[in-house]
Amino acid sequence: MELGIKDKVAIVCASSQGLGKATAMGLAKEGAKVVIFARHKKDLDETAHEIASATDSEILPIIADVIKAEDIQKVVKTTIEKFGTVHILVNNAGGPPVANFAELSDDMWMNGVNLTMMSLIRMTREVLPHMLKNKWGRIVNITSLTAKQPINDLIISSTLRPGILGLAKILSNQYSKFGILVNNVCPGHYLTKRQEEIIKKRSAERNITAEEYIQQHSNEIPIGRFGKPEELANMIVFLCSEKASYVTG
C-alpha cells in the first residue's frame, strides 16, 4: 500500500530505542525524512546508522532531552534549518517511575509532569505553525494503557495520561479543518526497555523470576503474548499517512 508520506519530514521524540526507534524505522521505510533525538549520543548514533542502513531515507539525529524546553526548541529549529518544514510529529517519552503513592515526592511528581505532559505540549506548540503553513500535518501521541485503565503502581502515568487524551481531542477539534490530524495510541504490553524495568520490579516484589512474570502476564493478554515494538509502529505509521485522512481525535 502506498501511504503517501515519501519525503514528508517527521520528528520522532525519544527515538533511540523501543517504540520511538521502531516508529522512526517504520516512517523511514515509507520514505519519510526522519529526525530522531535522545539524550545519549552513543545510542542515538547507533540508531541513526541502523535506520539509514536499512532504508534510503535521510536521518537527522539530534542530542536532546524531551524534558528541557530549550532542547525541544533546538530540535524543531534544527529540523527547519535542514529540511525547511515539518509534517509529522510523534510525541513519545519514557514513563514515570513505578512506585506506590507514599513513595512519590514532589520532585518526582513534577518530573513526571515535565516528562509526560509538558514535553508533548511544548513539541506540539513548536510544530503547529509549520503544519499550518503546509495545510497538512499528523500528530500522534504515544501514551499508555494507563490513559484508559489506571494501574496501581503507575500512579503518575495513570494521573497524567488521561489528560493527554483530552488535550488531543481539543486539538483535533480545532485543527482538523486545517488538514492537521491528531491521534493517540495507548500501547499495552510491548517488550521494550521500559517494560523490562517494570517486569524486574514487579517480579522481585512477587518473588518470582522475570520469565515467570512474563508467562503469567501473557496468559492475561488476549493474544497470548507481549507485543513487538514494530507492531505498534505499523499502526502509528498508518496514522501518520495520507491513508488515515479521516481519522482524528
Side-chain angles (χ1 to χ4, degrees):
M1 181 185 294
E2 175 54 57
L3 295 181
I5 55 174
K6 181 175 173 55
D7 294 326
K8 297 288 189 190
V9 178
I11 298 175
V12 183
C13 305
S15 39
S16 65
Q17 60 185 12
L19 300 178
K21 176 181 176 180
T23 300
M25 178 69 82
L27 289 166
K29 285 182 176 179
E30 292 299 324
K33 300 172 182 178
V34 183
V35 178
I36 62 173
F37 73 94
R39 293 172 295 166
H40 303 298
K41 185 178 188 303
K42 182 176 181 293
D43 293 342
L44 190 66
D45 288 346
E46 289 175 356
T47 295
H49 178 74
E50 182 179 341
I51 296 174
S53 298
T55 71
D56 296 324
S57 294
E58 284 189 78
I59 309 300
L60 175 61
I62 303 172
I63 299 172
D65 188 345
V66 292
I67 209 168
K68 297 179 180 178
E70 61 272 22
D71 280 15
I72 286 174
Q73 292 172 348
K74 178 183 75 172
V75 167
V76 177
K77 182 175 182 290
T78 305
T79 299
I80 301 305
E81 289 172 349
K82 173 70 174 178
F83 296 120
T85 191
V86 58
H87 303 95
I88 295 166
L89 169 65
V90 180
N91 281 308
N92 179 46
V98 180
N100 294 317
F101 180 75
E103 299 171 332
L104 296 171
S105 65
D106 282 6
D107 285 345
M108 294 168 75
W109 275 103
M110 291 311 301
N111 186 70
V113 169
N114 280 316
L115 178 66
T116 302
M117 180 72 74
M118 290 308 301
S119 64
L120 180 148
I121 290 171
R122 290 166 177 152
M123 280 299 313
T124 302
R125 188 168 56 207
E126 289 293 324
V127 304
L128 273 173
H130 304 287
M131 293 181 177
L132 286 168
K133 287 181 185 177
N134 297 330
K135 297 182 180 179
W136 197 98
R138 300 288 188 268
I139 298 172
V140 177
N141 304 316
I142 301 179
T143 64
S144 163
L145 61 85
T146 59
K148 294 281 191 177
Q149 176 59 58
I151 295 176
N152 288 346
D153 59 358
L154 297 178
I155 299 174
I156 296 177
S157 183
S158 298
T159 302
L160 298 176
R161 294 194 193 275
I164 292 172
L165 302 189
L167 174 61
K169 187 66 176 178
I170 291 170
L171 292 175
S172 71
N173 291 341
Q174 294 179 340
Y175 289 96
S176 294
K177 60 187 175 184
F178 302 111
I180 301 169
L181 308 183
V182 184
N183 289 289
N184 306 295
V185 293
C186 303
H189 304 288
Y190 290 82
L191 281 177
T192 62
K193 185 176 181 180
R194 160 73 171 167
Q195 188 65 240
E196 289 171 0
E197 291 170 355
I198 293 173
I199 290 169
K200 182 178 180 181
K201 188 173 191 304
R202 289 178 177 168
S203 59
E205 289 173 349
R206 300 179 190 184
N207 199 29
I208 59 175
T209 66
E211 291 74 19
E212 287 172 327
Y213 177 91
I214 290 172
Q215 183 57 54
Q216 290 178 12
H217 212 65
S218 295
N219 293 336
E220 300 171 8
I221 299 172
I223 206 167
R225 62 173 175 83
F226 280 67
K228 302 173 184 177
E230 57 267 28
E231 292 176 304
L232 183 74
N234 290 337
M235 182 170 65
I236 294 171
V237 171
F238 168 74
L239 290 173
C240 292
S241 77
E242 281 282 9
K243 296 300 183 182
S245 56
Y246 204 66
V247 183
T248 193

